[in-house]
Amino acid sequence: MNKNNSNFQDIKFDVDVYLRDIFNSRDMSLYNMMAYHMGYKDKTGTIISNENNQYLHAISSILVGRIFNVDEKFLYPIAASLEMFINFIGIHDDLKDGIPIRNEKDTVWWIWGPAQAINAGDGLHSLARLQISKLSEIGASNDLVFEALEKFNSASLKFSESKYLELEFQERIDVQVKEYLQLLNYRGELFSTAMSLPVLFSNSPNELIAEISNFGLNLGILIQITKDINSFWESTDVDFNFLNKKKTLPIVYAFKHASNSQKIKLGDIYFKRVLAKEDIVELKIILNEIGVRKFCELDREKFRSLVYSKLEKIFDSQESIDSLKGLIDILLV
């Protein structure tokens, strides 16, 4: 593998082929719905090309697996399970948020209805778990596969917990920073699992696997904080998630540091049932008045330092370190 390939095109291509083969091997229309969501087929079930999938969890997992010389045959089922899980969440999020169009195409629930969208999402989750189980069929020990399933299920559950908190926070204006960081910890478990799962299938000691897991967790938190910052200050588009009163780190800091008059303005916005685009514009103005970006940047720098200190500690090859730094640059865009 060329670890200096900043776009990791070789991994993306192989993951794409592997995932497409899974859906092409199944006949029921249910799998066409899943393949449609993932960009492999159109709504009629016709195979299409798609270069939009980034496969960031898969790339992260395979890259770490290759660094630790894990057998390639184990890496792709693990990578596929992660991408299927992410897309399971995507289908359910589109339905939950009532989003009719994503990535310039109709969403699954908009075409086939809410009930079938739930079936497609749940089916992807089941297929993801089956990919982990498949490892025993291709040479992994039952003990290792059981441990891998436990890690995958734990990350899935933590992600659900983060979704629960996300919905709960929508109707609150008293969300504390430590509560929001707990949500990020739950969500970061998926990157933790992406990076530690393949290392289970090396001969690495448990202490090293734990270090890699912690590295992935901090990276997952860093990615989400960066997304939170970018959604307000690096994008000219309105993030429609905010119309449902979604709370992110800048908003949580805004309520914490706002003056009384600013809190009244924030309250006027967030006591509405649903926000409008104009409210988001006003919200950005208030956030800039309060100066909350500096608090978010401090948190981002804290986790960036944790990630890079772990990187230098865990990986002793400069080639591996450089490769992972290239990956981190892509993840933080």
Side-chain angles (χ1 to χ4, degrees), residues 166 169-175 232 239 241-255 262-276 279-284 286-287:
E166 184 177 87
F169 292 169
Q170 284 181 7
E171 302 305 322
R172 288 175 52 190
I173 60 171
D174 62 341
V175 179
F232 274 105
D239 186 339
N241 286 315
F242 290 116
L243 302 183
N244 290 326
K245 301 193 287 187
K246 178 182 178 181
K247 303 297 191 304
T248 60
L249 191 61
I251 297 170
V252 174
Y253 270 123
F255 276 104
Q262 289 166 334
K263 285 181 179 177
I264 290 172
K265 291 179 182 178
L266 289 170
D268 288 341
I269 293 173
Y270 277 98
F271 280 124
K272 294 181 179 180
R273 189 175 66 85
V274 179
L275 306 189
D279 296 315
I280 307 303
V281 174
E282 177 66 18
L283 186 59
K284 288 184 177 182
I286 297 171
L287 262 60

Side-chain angles (χ1 to χ4, degrees), residues 124-284:
L124 274 174
H125 194 191
S126 298
L127 281 176
R129 296 183 78 254
L130 284 172
Q131 284 297 304
I132 302 294
S133 299
K134 178 181 178 179
L135 295 169
S136 62
E137 301 173 12
I138 55 176
S141 72
N142 289 335
D143 287 344
L144 279 179
V145 173
F146 180 77
E147 188 175 353
L149 268 174
E150 277 199 315
K151 288 179 72 69
F152 180 84
N153 288 338
S154 177
S156 300
L157 183 59
K158 290 294 183 185
F159 208 97
S160 293
E161 290 173 353
S162 78
K163 286 293 185 180
Y164 169 83
L165 290 178
E166 184 177 87
L167 288 171
E168 184 188 64
F169 292 169
Q170 284 181 7
E171 302 305 322
R172 288 175 52 190
I173 60 171
D174 62 341
V175 179
Q176 303 299 305
V177 174
K178 65 179 182 180
E179 290 181 289
Y180 187 74
L181 290 177
Q182 184 61 66
L183 181 156
L184 296 189
N185 264 275
Y186 290 156
R187 193 153 294 177
E189 285 288 340
L190 196 60
F191 255 100
S192 172
T193 301
M195 294 198 152
S196 60
L197 257 187
V199 188
L200 281 178
F201 298 88
S202 68
N203 293 317
S204 302
N206 290 334
E207 294 78 12
L208 178 57
I209 295 172
E211 288 281 359
I212 294 170
S213 180
N214 188 251
F215 167 72
L217 175 64
N218 288 324
L219 178 57
I221 296 171
L222 174 61
I223 291 167
Q224 190 60 55
I225 290 175
T226 301
K227 286 180 178 178
D228 285 359
I229 292 171
N230 290 347
S231 66
F232 274 105
W233 292 291
E234 302 299 334
S235 175
T236 56
D237 298 327
V238 173
D239 186 339
F240 289 101
N241 286 315
F242 290 116
L243 302 183
N244 290 326
K245 301 193 287 187
K246 178 182 178 181
K247 303 297 191 304
T248 60
L249 191 61
I251 297 170
V252 174
Y253 270 123
F255 276 104
K256 179 179 180 180
H257 294 285
S259 65
N260 286 336
S261 62
Q262 289 166 334
K263 285 181 179 177
I264 290 172
K265 291 179 182 178
L266 289 170
D268 288 341
I269 293 173
Y270 277 98
F271 280 124
K272 294 181 179 180
R273 189 175 66 85
V274 179
L275 306 189
K277 291 183 182 180
E278 300 76 37
D279 296 315
I280 307 303
V281 174
E282 177 66 18
L283 186 59
K284 288 184 177 182

Side-chain angles (χ1 to χ4, degrees), residues 5-23:
N5 179 354
S6 61
N7 293 318
F8 304 101
Q9 291 296 335
D10 60 330
I11 299 179
K12 288 173 67 174
F13 178 82
D14 290 343
V15 169
D16 193 81
V17 170
Y18 185 93
L19 281 163
R20 284 174 180 270
D21 284 347
I22 292 172
F23 296 107

